[in-house]
Amino acid sequence: TLLNNNLTKATSVKYQVSWPGTDPMNAQNTADVANRVAYYGVSGVPDARLEGNVANGAPSVVTQTNINSEYALPSPFSVNLVHWFNAANDSIYINCEITCSQNVTMVTPRVRIAMIEKTITFTNAPGSNGEKVFYNVMRKMYPNANGSSLATTWTTGQKKTFSFKEKIPTYIYSKPQIAVVAWIQDDSNKNVKQSA
């Protein structure tokens, strides 16, 4: 509910892990999930992160107050992210244009781009906790979970575009639920500078 009430302020990505029980969404793409679990040092679930390093722990660490606080901070980037499908509806085209809006220097900046399914609904709960509806589930990352390197120093007006054409994974439950998210993250401290 909190995330749905902040669609213009927060970009949500959820990684389905392989514990405490089996998870079909994890089994369909274990590599990307395992990368992100290791990156954040996740040892228990559910586990939430806000801006990569601002708040972490139980999902209750993400509040309207800290969403508002982070949203109010000026970002040194804007991101124009679009996607479309080919005529056969079996491939996705992704175009992510990053524009610098204020001079900035980062240590280890990367852009990460992920295909998500906005809503996945099961008739029978796939796990043991009874949960049947899952939101904003990461399905594939481009080019992979490490993302793409960015320049460490940016000047106002500087642009960089990343484009991908990829087959839609066969494990997608519902193509109309596909969306794409992108975020700029400094791996030196895991802080997210912008998302779309």
Side-chain angles (χ1 to χ4, degrees):
T1 300
L2 178 66
L3 293 171
N4 284 340
N5 289 340
N6 287 280
L7 295 177
T8 61
K9 294 181 178 181
T11 304
S12 171
V13 182
K14 299 180 183 169
Y15 307 96
Q16 297 296 126
V17 298
S18 61
W19 75 88
T22 58
D23 188 305
M25 295 164 285
N26 176 272
Q28 292 157 349
N29 182 0
T30 58
D32 287 345
V33 174
N35 176 292
R36 303 306 289 163
V37 166
Y39 179 87
Y40 285 113
V42 176
S43 59
V45 293
D47 182 85
R49 306 291 160 132
L50 176 69
E51 293 284 22
N53 67 356
V54 172
N56 65 78
S60 60
V61 302
V62 180
T63 65
Q64 187 64 58
T65 298
N66 58 26
I67 288 174
N68 290 343
S69 295
E70 290 304 302
Y71 184 74
L73 298 174
S75 171
F77 298 102
S78 63
V79 176
N80 182 20
L81 180 66
V82 295
H83 75 275
W84 63 97
F85 304 109
N86 66 342
N89 215 32
D90 64 359
S91 295
I92 188 169
Y93 296 81
I94 301 168
N95 195 71
C96 177
E97 182 183 69
I98 299 167
T99 304
C100 179
S101 53
Q102 63 186 37
N103 294 350
V104 64
T105 298
M106 297 173 287
V107 179
T108 316
R110 302 187 78 80
V111 61
R112 291 186 166 90
I113 299 172
M115 173 190 289
I116 64 171
E117 272 187 88
K118 295 180 283 187
T119 306
I120 299 173
T121 304
F122 292 90
T123 302
N124 299 306
S128 59
N129 66 0
E131 190 175 0
K132 295 179 185 177
V133 184
F134 300 83
Y135 301 99
N136 302 325
V137 176
M138 185 283 298
R139 305 303 272 144
K140 186 70 181 160
M141 297 187 75
Y142 304 103
N144 53 50
N146 291 321
S148 301
S149 296
L150 296 173
T152 56
T153 300
W154 289 68
T155 56
T156 302
Q158 183 177 345
K159 294 178 185 279
K160 177 75 176 176
T161 300
F162 293 88
S163 298
F164 298 94
K165 178 194 176 216
E166 301 285 343
K167 286 286 188 187
I168 295 172
T170 57
Y171 53 75
I172 294 295
Y173 292 103
S174 174
K175 289 180 184 176
Q177 291 298 317
I178 289 175
V180 176
V181 296
W183 62 102
I184 298 167
Q185 188 165 29
D186 191 338
D187 281 355
S188 68
N189 60 12
K190 299 182 172 57
N191 186 239
V192 173
K193 303 297 184 184
Q194 183 59 285
S195 67

